[in-house]
């Protein structure tokens, strides 16, 4: 008997909302680590949104109405330098399913390198979302899963594409802001 897999649209629906993120990043080559906290807002966006249309054009694709588009906005505070630094940004992700559990993700900017990118994704038997992106010089792999309906965990690694050496790892715990569900 096989376990029912979570479909990508179900995984994304569970992720919609406002989250407080606590992240630890380890840069192995320099033996440094960074801790940061963020406020993250994940929401659905329509396929005919200007930003979504622009991403399809940048990838030289026609707008796909079967796609699932989300906006992820964040405001982060990091302890990287002597003084806490604050920064914010937004990423648009468009999921193009091949089947219920796998497909391609188009982005307006990458996780590792800040230019348009595409990734492969799949949801495994334990309902973990895996996203793998190959850049010019690096490979980013991310695994996201729910520990409970309101707690997510993310692990990511960045490797050098040339020699497969591990450059960076990070772990993030995300706790849903329950008050945001009332909005």
């Amino acid at each position: 008997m096989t376990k029912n897999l979570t479909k990508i649209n179900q995984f994304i629906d569970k992720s919609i909302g406002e989250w407080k993120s606590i992240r630890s990043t380890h840069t192995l080559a320099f033996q440094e680590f960074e801790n940061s906290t963020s406020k993250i807002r994940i929401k659905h966006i329509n396929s005919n949104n200007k930003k979504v249309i622009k991403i399809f054009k940048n990838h030289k694709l026609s707008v796909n109405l079967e796609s699932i588009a989300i906006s992820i906005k964040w405001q982060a505070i990091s302890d990287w330098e002597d003084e806490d630094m604050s920064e914010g940004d937004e990423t648009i992700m468009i999921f193009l399913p091949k089947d219920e559990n796998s497909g391609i993700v188009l982005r307006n900017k990458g996780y590792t390198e800040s230019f348009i990118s595409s990734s492969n994704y799949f949801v495994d038997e334990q309902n973990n979302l895996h996203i793998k992106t190959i850049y010019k010089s690096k490979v980013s792999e991310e695994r996201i899963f729910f520990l409970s309906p309101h707690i997510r965990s993310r692990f990511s690694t960045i490797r050098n594409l040339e020699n497969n050496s591990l450059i960076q790892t990070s772990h993030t715990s995300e706790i849903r802001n329950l008050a945001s569900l009332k909005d």
Side-chain angles (χ1 to χ4, degrees):
M1 183 168 172
T2 58
K3 183 178 178 183
N4 288 335
L5 295 175
T6 297
K7 298 175 185 167
I8 188 60
N9 59 331
Q10 293 170 320
F11 191 94
I12 292 170
D13 286 346
K14 285 172 45 176
S15 299
I16 299 300
E18 189 176 292
W19 301 83
K20 177 169 180 170
S21 167
I22 304 165
R23 179 179 182 147
S24 178
T25 303
H26 303 247
T27 304
L28 303 174
F30 301 109
Q31 297 182 10
E32 295 178 333
F33 66 93
E34 172 190 15
N35 290 314
S36 60
T37 58
S38 303
K39 185 171 128 177
I40 300 171
R41 181 90 164 148
I42 303 172
K43 67 178 188 173
H44 283 287
I45 54 177
N46 200 303
S47 309
N48 59 11
N49 179 293
K50 289 186 281 187
K51 294 176 183 178
V52 172
I53 292 169
K54 183 177 180 183
I55 294 169
F56 276 109
K57 283 183 182 177
N58 287 341
H59 284 277
K60 297 177 177 40
L61 296 170
S62 299
V63 174
N64 180 336
L65 298 177
E66 301 297 315
S67 64
I68 305 163
I70 60 172
S71 163
I72 303 173
K73 290 184 180 183
W74 67 92
Q75 187 66 40
I77 298 173
S78 169
D79 70 355
W80 186 252
E81 299 288 331
D82 290 335
E83 296 179 25
D84 286 348
M85 297 181 346
S86 178
E87 66 176 81
D89 207 348
E90 176 184 28
T91 296
I92 305 296
M93 299 177 74
I94 304 168
F95 290 81
L96 298 168
K98 292 181 197 171
D99 57 43
E100 293 179 339
N101 305 97
S102 66
I104 296 171
V105 181
L106 305 178
R107 301 180 195 222
N108 64 323
K109 67 180 82 169
Y111 173 73
T112 301
E113 297 178 13
S114 200
F115 54 85
I116 67 165
S117 66
S118 64
S119 311
N120 291 308
Y121 77 84
F122 72 94
V123 180
D124 68 20
E125 297 81 19
Q126 288 79 43
N127 300 320
N128 297 300
L129 173 61
H130 298 261
I131 300 174
K132 182 176 183 177
T133 310
I134 300 175
Y135 298 96
K136 291 178 183 174
S137 63
K138 298 177 187 107
V139 176
S140 166
E141 295 183 75
E142 190 170 13
R143 180 170 59 106
I144 308 166
F145 57 97
F146 285 86
L147 298 168
S148 76
H150 304 296
I151 300 175
R152 290 183 357 151
S153 188
R154 291 189 293 135
F155 291 96
S156 64
T157 59
I158 300 171
R159 294 181 178 276
N160 180 309
L161 192 57
E162 187 176 318
N163 62 14
N164 203 33
S165 62
L166 196 56
I167 298 169
Q168 189 177 78
T169 64
S170 68
H171 173 255
T172 308
S173 296
E174 298 171 345
I175 303 162
R176 187 186 309 272
N177 176 351
L178 295 176
S180 71
L181 294 176
K182 297 173 186 171
D183 295 342

